[in-house]
Amino acid sequence: MFRAKLLLALSLLGLLALTEGGVALWAQRSAVQQVQRGRLTSDILKGYIELSANKQRLRSWAAQRLLADSATDTLRDGLLQDMQAGLAQLHALAGQLDLLEAALQEPGRREIRQRSLDVLERHLLELGRALKGLAALPPGTDATQASQRLRSLFDESQGQDLRRLLNAEMEAERLATSQSRQAADQALRAIDRGVTWLSAGALMLTLALLAYFAWALRQPLNALMRGARALREGDLGYRIPAQGRDEFGELARSFNQMAGELQQHRAQEQADRALLEDMVQARTAELRQALDTLQALDARRRRFFAELSHELRTPATAIRGEAEVALRGGERPAQDYRKALQRIVDTVGQFSHVLGDLSQLARSEVEALAMREDLLAWPPLLARSCEQAAVLARAAQLRFDWQLGPANDAARLRGDAQRLSQALAIVLDNARRYSRPGGAIRLQAVEEGGQLRIDLLDEGIGVAEQELPQVFDRLFRGEAARAHRPDGLGLGLAIARDIVQAHGGDIALSNRETPGCHLRLSLPLVMGGIDA
């Protein structure tokens, strides 16, 4: 309902604006037509004046020819041509004026003007023929005869007085020009009055509509604002009085429905939160139990190392004791020395058994790496890793340049492509993580002495010299690394080393003269299935 009222008001304003525009356009068109009419009548008047002036010049030429025979034919012909051109232009202007007066539905002077122009045109033809045969009067001729001859040539034609005809036409065109100007002024005044009254009406209607809509919108908008304020303050039980069947009533009902849904969601959220708290408590209990288990495992690990230390110290003490006993005192029979050596051998066997158990424990993680043994072409393997690294380097605002040297078609890597890619990804990611934005990373791979040598150089933070021997240890991270990136566990290089060594290769890290590190990775190549 309110929408219909607003649409009606806008329609009234639009209709008023269209009416104002239509009236202004009509009045403007009328004024333009009257101005055009005035211009045409003024041009016709100007043409008559020029025609009369040329006629007077031609009359002077004829007088000179009659009295002194001193006038030239060139001047006569030029004046006749100018008068013919002027008549042609008058015909054209008269045609345009006739069309405009027809559009204005005004009677005009079409027939009178056309008759006058026809008379002047015929007179000009007669005058031209007469002037071409004009000769000087005999000496002693009275000037009155010359004047009569000129009057008959220039002022009379077909029984009409041409001077009156020209004067009447010029006066008529002056009057028409004045009337056109008055009509144009009236049209402009009509535009001014019409636009003024319509603008005043539009302004009054606009003010009336603004006052009405301001009054009609105040109460429902205030109610909506109070409802929004209540929701913002958390009062989800507040409801807007839904009165009427208009858009605001519908909006109030929608608002109340939304508030009810929010109230239900809050209740559901509180229930979910209580459930989540129960789940968190249960998970906390599970984590506490897991922590207790880890603490128990740590205690077992400590106990294991204590027992291991005892197991290693016991046979070592026994060996030393047997040797000291055998060396102490004087000479003994060979049989005593043999028995002492046998006891030492037995103890060493026990010691070796303990060392075997410890070595098996140390090798368990590397042996857990399930390795495949395939013959791999190294250029595609490195290219894939470098392409992935280049994408990550660009994202970190780093420049990554890589170059793969010439490859022997028969040269192959023997190993697991996935594990080798993992090792390459670790060292490339390590170089990226510890480089600053704007730096550069370079990788070069060449075949050299039956080995694939990969050199990786970065412009990163570097490693303290005293920390270099520990960079491949598990859980080790240097001070500069921890300051640059607090995250990380120090396992990456250790895993890469284990993978490279499992493939029979070697890996080393050193500092460059400029800031950054130089990592060299070497892997053995095979030729035709035979170690290179």
Side-chain angles (χ1 to χ4, degrees):
M1 183 180 296
F2 192 84
R3 187 185 309 166
K5 294 179 181 178
L6 183 60
L7 182 60
L8 178 60
L10 293 177
S11 300
L12 288 175
L13 290 176
L15 182 60
L16 188 58
L18 289 175
T19 303
E20 182 178 357
V23 170
L25 183 61
W26 170 80
Q28 180 185 9
R29 183 179 178 185
S30 298
V32 169
Q33 288 176 339
Q34 292 296 339
V35 170
Q36 290 177 349
R37 182 185 179 190
R39 181 179 58 81
L40 289 173
T41 56
S42 177
D43 290 343
I44 292 174
L45 176 60
K46 181 179 178 183
Y48 279 128
I49 293 173
E50 290 179 356
L51 184 64
S52 178
N54 287 328
K55 186 178 180 183
Q56 290 300 325
R57 295 187 188 99
L58 194 59
R59 189 187 189 106
S60 299
W61 176 90
Q64 291 178 5
R65 172 61 66 92
L66 289 173
L67 297 176
D69 198 16
S70 60
T72 62
D73 293 341
T74 304
L75 179 59
R76 177 200 63 200
D77 295 339
L79 291 172
L80 288 173
Q81 289 178 359
D82 290 342
M83 292 178 70
Q84 289 174 353
L87 280 173
Q89 186 178 8
L90 285 172
H91 275 292
L93 292 173
Q96 296 178 16
L97 183 58
D98 293 339
L99 293 176
L100 184 58
E101 288 177 344
L104 292 172
Q105 296 181 356
E106 294 183 0
R109 301 178 59 257
R110 179 176 180 277
E111 296 180 357
I112 299 174
R113 188 184 298 111
Q114 190 63 42
R115 285 197 302 268
S116 299
L117 290 175
D118 291 341
V119 169
L120 291 173
E121 190 170 5
R122 287 194 296 272
H123 170 64
L124 183 60
L125 292 175
E126 295 172 356
L127 183 61
R129 288 193 296 268
L131 292 178
K132 288 181 181 179
L134 187 65
L137 295 174
T141 304
D142 188 5
T144 305
Q145 294 180 3
S147 177
Q148 291 177 353
R149 181 70 183 274
L150 291 174
R151 187 182 301 110
S152 64
L153 288 174
F154 286 92
D155 297 338
E156 296 178 0
S157 177
Q158 303 172 17
Q160 295 187 13
D161 189 344
L162 296 179
R163 286 187 303 177
R164 283 186 184 175
L165 179 63
L166 277 174
N167 291 333
E169 288 296 323
M170 287 189 290
E171 185 63 28
E173 297 304 334
R174 286 192 185 93
L175 180 61
T177 302
S178 177
Q179 291 176 349
S180 297
R181 290 178 180 175
Q182 292 177 1
D185 292 340
Q186 291 177 357
L188 291 175
R189 286 193 294 270
I191 292 176
D192 185 47
R193 289 194 300 271
V195 171
T196 300
W197 282 105
L198 288 174
S199 298
L203 179 61
M204 294 179 62
L205 179 60
T206 302
L207 292 176
L209 291 175
L210 286 176
Y212 170 74
F213 284 112
W215 173 82
L217 289 173
R218 183 177 58 184
Q219 183 177 356
L221 288 180
N222 289 337
L224 290 174
M225 290 177 62
R226 287 192 297 270
R229 190 181 302 112
L231 287 184
R232 185 180 60 201
E233 294 173 356
D235 185 8
L236 299 182
Y238 183 85
R239 296 294 182 268
I240 299 175
Q243 300 175 355
R245 306 299 301 175
D246 57 2
E247 289 81 358
F248 288 105
E250 185 65 26
L251 181 60
R253 285 185 285 273
S254 299
F255 184 93
N256 294 337
Q257 183 179 1
M258 179 187 67
E261 292 177 356
L262 288 176
Q263 194 172 17
Q264 293 178 1
H265 289 178
R266 173 178 287 183
Q268 183 65 36
E269 179 185 359
Q270 292 175 351
D272 294 341
R273 183 181 299 171
L275 178 61
L276 181 60
E277 290 177 355
D278 295 339
M279 294 175 65
V280 168
Q281 291 178 358
R283 184 59 177 168
T284 303
E286 294 176 359
L287 292 176
R288 188 178 293 109
Q289 183 179 0
L291 178 61
D292 295 340
T293 302
L294 288 176
Q295 290 176 346
L297 290 175
D298 184 65
R300 290 174 58 187
R301 179 184 63 81
R302 293 176 182 274
R303 186 169 59 254
F304 167 76
F305 281 110
E307 293 174 355
L308 178 63
S309 176
H310 178 267
E311 291 293 330
L312 292 176
R313 187 167 53 249
T314 299
T317 302
I319 292 172
R320 181 177 179 178
E322 290 290 344
E324 289 178 349
V325 171
L327 294 175
R328 191 169 49 237
E331 292 291 336
R332 293 187 181 187
Q335 186 66 27
D336 292 342
Y337 289 111
R338 184 181 298 276
K339 290 181 179 178
L341 290 175
Q342 183 63 43
R343 287 194 295 272
I344 289 174
V345 168
D346 294 338
T347 305
V348 169
Q350 180 184 0
F351 188 78
S352 298
H353 181 71
V354 174
L355 290 179
D357 291 341
L358 182 61
S359 177
Q360 181 67 25
L361 178 64
R363 291 198 308 269
S364 61
E365 287 186 330
V366 176
E367 292 174 352
L369 295 174
M371 298 288 181
R372 297 181 55 181
E373 289 191 358
D374 299 325
L375 294 179
L376 307 171
W378 63 268
L381 180 68
L382 264 66
R384 287 193 297 270
S385 298
C386 290
E387 289 170 355
Q388 294 174 356
V391 174
L392 297 176
R394 284 195 299 269
Q397 301 179 2
L398 297 170
R399 189 177 75 256
F400 178 64
D401 301 322
W402 51 286
Q403 182 180 4
L404 306 182
N408 189 335
D409 293 339
R412 294 290 186 274
L413 288 174
R414 174 177 288 163
D416 190 326
Q418 183 177 357
R419 293 295 185 183
L420 290 174
S421 298
Q422 180 184 1
L424 289 171
I426 289 172
V427 297
L428 289 170
D429 185 68
N430 207 58
R432 176 182 64 83
R433 285 173 174 269
Y434 297 103
S435 293
R436 297 181 179 89
I441 301 173
R442 296 190 300 276
L443 182 142
Q444 185 177 9
V446 295
E447 294 182 8
E448 184 179 277
Q451 298 276 330
L452 173 61
R453 192 190 72 196
I454 303 173
D455 291 306
L456 181 63
L457 297 93
D458 63 55
E459 298 176 358
I461 61 175
V463 180
E465 289 294 329
Q466 66 273 17
E467 294 176 349
L468 282 174
Q470 299 175 277
V471 293
F472 292 100
D473 293 347
R474 291 182 182 273
L475 304 178
F476 175 79
R477 300 187 74 225
E479 290 183 10
R482 291 194 300 271
H484 184 74
R485 294 186 66 92
D487 56 334
L489 297 175
L491 293 175
L493 289 179
I495 294 174
R497 179 200 58 188
D498 293 343
I499 294 174
V500 171
Q501 290 178 352
H503 285 80
D506 191 21
I507 186 171
L509 183 71
S510 62
N511 283 321
R512 302 173 60 191
E513 294 181 358
T514 57
C517 293
H518 175 198
L519 184 140
R520 172 166 290 183
L521 191 154
S522 300
L523 292 168
L525 294 172
V526 296
M527 297 288 184
I530 302 175
D531 288 340

